[in-house]
Amino acid sequence: MKTFKWWQAFFVACTVALACPACGEKEEPAPDGMDPTQEVPDPTGTIQLAMRDKNNGSTHIDNLYIQDENFYGVYNQTVSLGAVKGLGNVAYIPTTGWAQRVAVVPGDGYVAYDSYYKKFYRIYVSNFISNTGGGIIGADVKYQEPFLGKDEAISLESNNLTFPATGGSQAILFNNSTIIPFEIEEANVPGTVSKASTYDQSFLTNGIAIDFTPNEQPEAITGSITLTTGYGRKTVINVTQAGREPYIYLLTNEKEVSAAAQVENIALDSNLPFEDLTVNSSAQWCKAEIVNNAADLQAQNRKVKFIGDQAVSPTRSEANTSAISYTLKLTFDENETKDQRETTVMVSSKDQKISTPLHIIQKGIVFEVRTNQVGFDKNSGSRTVSINTTVSDWEAQSSADWCTFNKVGNQINIRVTSTTEERTATITFPGFDTKITVLQSKYAKDDTFSENGIEGTVCYIGDSVRYICIYAGYNATWSTENVLTGANSRTDGEYNMSMIKKIPFWQDFYPAFLLCDQLNTNGVTGWYLPAIEELTLCGLASTNYWTSTEYNESYAIRGSGISTPKQNSKTILAIHKF
């Protein structure tokens, strides 16, 4: 009696299945991955074999033989893919056209299945083999096994499956257009999971059949089924079986979305009938409805013919599913403010005895610039700044005529004219606090700088920092002692200089730093030995220069980025910010 109920329940599930192609129906055009007119390399593991006819030497591929110019095997089914360029064109496993005997044709590709070894083979026939009298005694072939079909993951209508506490059976069918060999791994699934097929051969598996035992506990059971292809691609089905009491379960109790108008779908599991569910949203900007997935699946009208190697009778195939699966569909209006907003969506039974809340947070508008300060030299030029925003349309304004811009998508191209004076402009964005400060110097790289007693050559003008440089001395060592100083910053030479100056009598031991500090006279301050990345910014990375960046107690880094003994002599270049 128990076995009868299992089969009867399974046929309930199978009404969601899509009927297989009618007998004799021609296979659809080859899917992506096989172009029979395009020559591709042989796959890895290709084997060449002279297959002798069963009556002329009987060379075979496992249980597959050539007999009377046909592929044949007691354990085998074979299908021809027609004329192809080579074995590499045999790139998928067809769903129809299989037979125990299939004609051997030079230039054709084939897929074979061996039910004894339970694996697929792909085959290409190069030419016939003839005896001295001209009679055909076999064929030269290339083959590769196991053939795993197309390298794609198993595709499903839904990755969430719900069963009632009473148990039952259900078929889950794949959306793939070809056969994808796979293995099943179960985790905390209260029942059995088997491979299933809607086609005329049990090995053409395109789905799974699940048989759930009753759940006598009040708590729901959650588990997973992992379908792994031969290429290692995994598809996970989340499984929930309800407890004996009525329940409504959302996969999450909080949802955060962006400010954009959008639609979000959240899996909803319940053992209540669709007509006993209701949903309410407390905000006009968030509309909610429940979608009955079971009805959608029944509309597909596909029928399972095999579970494992066992045929399914028509009575079982035409039963209705007892599993229930829903989706909570949320439709959001655009949030046109900077402030986030919140609401609660309540999914309940119509008698209000049970309910599940969903807390909704919709973020406010995002408007952020990649950099809020842009630097130019004295020449005319342009810079592009990217903007991260959820706003579909935005405006900008410049505070100065010499600073103009144009918009390209979510980017702003800033342009400046040439100048002989220091000047600043601000680009603002109406409705937002964001702004970009545009700084233009009256100098350019390689110009002579002479202001307030500071003289040198301009070597870098950036967005937030500008440098001038000057030769401070030649053939000086970094240090005369091997001591760890802590002057290890790669970006901040002023920090490194301060660490050296903390050492008692540092002037006696650190000649490179002393030469730079000696420039700070007559009220001038700010000259220092640059860190490695500062020297690089200035375009002065050279093996001839010391940097202030220490490597360890015995080595420091020279301008080329190479660590060098501190007692080596190098040229000293000092820099100053302006």
Side-chain angles (χ1 to χ4, degrees), residues 76-109:
N76 295 85
Q77 292 283 324
T78 305
V79 60
S80 172
L81 301 186
V84 296
K85 287 287 186 181
L87 185 61
N89 296 119
V90 181
Y92 73 105
I93 300 173
T95 59
T96 60
W98 294 81
Q100 196 170 32
R101 290 182 181 273
V102 175
V104 176
V105 179
D108 280 10

Side-chain angles (χ1 to χ4, degrees), residues 32-55:
D32 291 342
M34 178 192 166
D35 180 358
T37 66
Q38 181 68 41
E39 194 165 0
V40 296
D42 290 338
T44 302
T46 296
I47 298 173
Q48 298 189 39
L49 179 66
M51 285 189 72
R52 292 282 189 138
D53 187 273
K54 196 169 186 181
N55 299 317

Side-chain angles (χ1 to χ4, degrees), residues 57-135:
S58 189
T59 311
H60 52 89
I61 303 173
D62 289 339
N63 294 306
L64 183 66
Y65 295 82
I66 291 179
Q67 186 178 55
D68 300 327
E69 299 180 29
N70 289 285
F71 285 119
Y72 169 79
V74 174
Y75 298 101
N76 295 85
Q77 292 283 324
T78 305
V79 60
S80 172
L81 301 186
V84 296
K85 287 287 186 181
L87 185 61
N89 296 119
V90 181
Y92 73 105
I93 300 173
T95 59
T96 60
W98 294 81
Q100 196 170 32
R101 290 182 181 273
V102 175
V104 176
V105 179
D108 280 10
Y110 302 81
V111 179
Y113 178 80
D114 190 315
S115 61
Y116 182 85
Y117 291 107
K118 298 189 181 301
K119 62 182 177 180
F120 290 93
Y121 306 72
R122 52 176 159 181
I123 303 167
Y124 172 73
V125 178
S126 302
N127 51 261
F128 281 131
I129 301 173
S130 303
N131 59 20
T132 56

Side-chain angles (χ1 to χ4, degrees), residues 356-419:
T356 298
L358 175 64
H359 181 218
I360 302 291
I361 300 173
Q362 187 176 32
K363 293 182 177 180
I365 291 171
V366 174
F367 195 92
E368 302 168 337
V369 293
R370 185 183 61 83
T371 179
N372 57 16
Q373 185 167 295
V374 178
F376 290 90
D377 64 17
K378 67 182 181 181
N379 301 308
S380 61
S382 65
R383 286 281 301 279
T384 298
V385 177
S386 297
I387 297 176
N388 174 33
T389 181
T390 57
V391 180
S392 57
D393 191 22
W394 50 270
E395 298 296 330
Q397 295 176 349
S398 174
S399 63
D401 293 340
W402 56 265
C403 177
T404 59
F405 62 86
N406 69 296
K407 292 169 48 182
V408 181
N410 278 346
Q411 292 182 322
I412 184 169
N413 298 324
I414 303 171
R415 293 181 174 85
V416 297
T417 60
S418 59
T419 184

Side-chain angles (χ1 to χ4, degrees), residues 439-456:
L439 304 173
Q440 189 173 20
S441 174
K442 62 182 178 181
Y443 294 100
K445 190 176 186 300
D446 298 327
D447 282 355
T448 298
F449 182 95
S450 180
E451 291 185 20
N452 301 319
I454 301 170
E455 296 183 354

Side-chain angles (χ1 to χ4, degrees), residues 10 14 16-21 93-96 98 120 152-157 170-184 193-210 227 229 235 237 300-310 312:
F10 181 76
C14 292
V16 304
L18 177 67
C20 71
I93 300 173
T95 59
T96 60
W98 294 81
F120 290 93
E152 62 182 20
I154 289 172
S155 174
L156 305 172
E157 289 292 337
Q170 186 166 348
I172 305 296
L173 302 178
F174 308 156
N175 291 330
N176 306 78
S177 60
T178 65
I179 300 302
I180 308 295
F182 66 96
E183 296 299 327
I184 302 171
V193 183
S194 306
K195 295 180 180 180
S197 174
T198 64
Y199 298 110
D200 293 333
Q201 306 289 346
S202 62
F203 61 86
L204 300 176
T205 51
N206 65 325
I208 58 174
I210 308 170
L227 310 178
T229 71
T235 299
I237 303 172
Q300 295 177 14
N301 193 29
R302 292 196 286 176
K303 298 180 180 179
V304 169
K305 294 183 179 180
F306 293 93
I307 298 176
D309 292 330
Q310 301 299 314
V312 178

